[in-house]
Amino acid sequence: MSFFSLILKNLVRQRIRTALTTLGISIGIATVVALGVIVAGVKRTSEQVLRAYDSDFFVAQKGSSDLSFSAVSEQEWRALSELPEVERTIGALFHFSKVGDNPLFLTIGVTPEDLTNAGLDIREGSLFSPGATDEVVLGEGAARSLKKTVGDTVQIDRRSLRVVGVFRSRILWENNGAYAPLDTVQAIAKKPEVVTMVYVKVKPGLDPKAVAEQIEDTFPLLTAVGSLGEYSEVDQGIQVMDAVNLAISALAVGIGAIGVMNTMVMSVFERTREIGILRAVGWSGSRIMRMIIGESLVLCVFAAVVGAGLGVLASQAVQLIELVRNFLEPKYELAVFVRALVVAVLVALVGAAYPAARAVRLTPMEALRYE
């Protein structure tokens, strides 16, 4: 019998105990994978917000706890547009409201000129016209979920807007939202002469980072966000989710290690005489230790595979919720599954440490006398 076959045979001796331990670890791994996939999806959505309208960066209110709370005055927007280093700007007001069954429907307020420069792929109808006040352009996803087409009306916070066009976008939050005239959205949101952010495109040949730093020096109440790492200046959500992900990973290691340790300690107790016989026939302490740790590793790696599958299923199940589906698309990065494997290996090593040490300390005579 090979060494690996012996490890497998030892694990299947107590099938129910091994299965329950595997299930417990799998649930922890599934949580790590599902949360990692969701966090990766949130980051991708944030990157889409960051890179919208072919901009180099966006400018928002410094210190906002959430991007939707940011407020940049139109006066500040005009001042940004007049900077000699800036080629163009687009001001956008994000407003969330209940529309249909969606409690967080996103309506984006922009000027007709900026909407023309947004590069939308119009599938039906047209963009809203200059001077329009009660017109809206729906993304394909929003039109489908609301069952609206060109000529219908949409009720946004007691304001009836006529659908004049339907567009398609690769950006999830945009495709499931709507565009309306900036003045109209400002009136609906009760935020006169304010936008959520200003997208900035610098002139060719200039360094966007240098221009962003200049803007922050000139406008102390504003911050320029050009990368995901700077997102925390205007939104704490990603940092919180990263912290939660790390905490759950650590919790999974701790709880999983206790479960593995319990299983392996019981296994060592039950096989004390067997271990004594192995020592008597020439097995070294290090080989006994490798056997115990090997059993733990095989158990946890198998649990990691099962847990990864459960995590993928869980992340897909979350997509059944329309509110989540409108803003988040799971992103299956290799790093997420590598993290899950690392957690499983840590669980195996920590959980096997004490049982392996105890097995090594047993002398052949002591083990053979054990009843």
Side-chain angles (χ1 to χ4, degrees):
M1 179 181 293
S2 67
F3 189 71
F4 184 70
S5 299
L6 178 62
I7 288 174
L8 293 180
K9 182 179 179 181
N10 290 336
L11 287 175
V12 299
R13 286 182 178 182
Q14 295 291 338
R15 291 181 176 83
I16 295 178
R17 186 168 64 204
T18 300
L20 290 175
T21 304
T22 302
L23 178 62
I25 299 170
S26 297
I27 292 173
I29 296 297
T31 305
V32 172
V33 170
L35 188 57
V37 167
I38 291 172
V39 170
V42 170
K43 288 183 177 180
R44 176 164 60 183
T45 300
S46 300
E47 287 175 347
Q48 290 175 341
V49 172
L50 182 61
R51 299 302 175 195
Y53 316 120
D54 191 32
S55 61
D56 292 309
F57 54 86
F58 69 74
V59 176
Q61 182 181 0
K62 181 179 291 186
S64 299
S65 58
D66 186 272
L67 185 58
S68 61
F69 298 152
S70 169
V72 179
S73 69
E74 290 189 359
Q75 183 179 0
E76 291 170 321
W77 176 14
R78 285 192 295 270
L80 287 169
S81 302
E82 293 169 359
L83 292 175
E85 298 84 3
V86 173
E87 179 179 336
R88 60 174 170 80
T89 61
I90 293 179
L93 176 61
F94 284 20
H95 176 62
F96 294 92
S97 59
K98 188 179 188 305
V99 177
D101 295 329
N102 186 353
L104 287 177
F105 184 84
L106 174 62
T107 306
I108 309 168
V110 294
T111 65
E113 298 79 13
D114 286 343
L115 187 64
T116 302
N117 296 326
L120 297 181
D121 179 14
I122 296 294
R123 312 301 291 182
E124 299 178 36
S126 62
L127 303 176
F128 50 76
S129 56
T133 57
D134 295 321
E135 296 180 352
V136 66
V137 182
L138 295 178
E140 268 191 338
R144 185 167 51 250
S145 63
L146 295 174
K147 296 180 175 60
K148 300 291 184 180
T149 187
V150 175
D152 293 337
T153 59
V154 176
Q155 194 83 8
I156 300 178
D157 283 0
R158 300 181 182 178
R159 181 79 173 259
S160 293
L161 303 180
R162 183 170 60 89
V163 180
V164 296
V166 176
F167 66 89
R168 175 184 294 174
S169 175
R170 293 176 299 174
I171 301 176
L172 194 63
W173 53 267
E174 193 177 51
N175 200 57
N176 290 300
Y179 279 98
L182 178 59
D183 292 342
T184 300
V185 179
Q186 287 174 333
I188 291 173
K190 298 180 181 179
K191 294 180 178 180
E193 299 185 350
V194 164
V195 294
T196 302
M197 66 189 78
V198 177
Y199 287 93
V200 177
K201 181 72 174 179
V202 304
K203 290 183 177 179
L206 297 180
D207 180 13
K209 187 174 182 180
V211 176
E213 291 175 353
Q214 177 186 338
I215 288 174
E216 291 182 336
D217 291 339
T218 306
F219 302 90
L221 298 181
L222 302 179
T223 185
V225 180
S227 66
L228 198 59
E230 298 171 347
Y231 221 84
S232 60
E233 295 289 334
V234 294
D235 197 321
Q236 304 297 319
I238 293 179
Q239 279 189 325
V240 171
M241 294 194 73
D242 278 335
V244 170
N245 194 14
L246 179 61
I248 287 180
S249 297
L251 193 61
V253 170
I255 295 176
I258 293 172
V260 171
M261 187 179 299
N262 177 68
T263 297
M264 299 312 298
V265 165
M266 292 298 295
S267 178
V268 169
F269 277 141
E270 292 169 355
R271 293 152 51 199
T272 300
R273 288 179 60 85
E274 177 185 320
I275 291 172
I277 293 173
L278 292 175
R279 293 298 303 273
V281 298
W283 275 44
S284 63
S286 61
R287 194 175 186 189
I288 296 291
M289 179 177 290
R290 289 200 304 272
M291 181 179 69
I292 302 299
I293 294 176
E295 292 172 13
S296 180
L297 282 171
V298 169
L299 179 69
C300 291
V301 170
F302 178 71
V305 174
V306 175
L310 292 175
V312 171
L313 291 176
S315 63
Q316 289 294 320
V318 170
Q319 290 294 294
L320 298 176
I321 304 173
E322 184 178 4
L323 177 60
V324 176
R325 187 170 61 247
N326 287 340
F327 290 95
L328 176 66
E329 184 177 1
K331 187 176 182 182
Y332 300 99
E333 294 181 332
L334 179 61
V336 172
F337 298 98
V338 170
R339 184 186 303 119
L341 182 60
V342 169
V343 168
V345 171
L346 286 175
V347 167
L349 295 178
V350 174
Y354 172 70
R358 187 184 186 283
V360 169
R361 285 199 304 267
L362 287 172
T363 64
M365 292 300 297
E366 180 185 1
L368 289 171
R369 287 200 305 268
Y370 184 83
E371 295 296 336

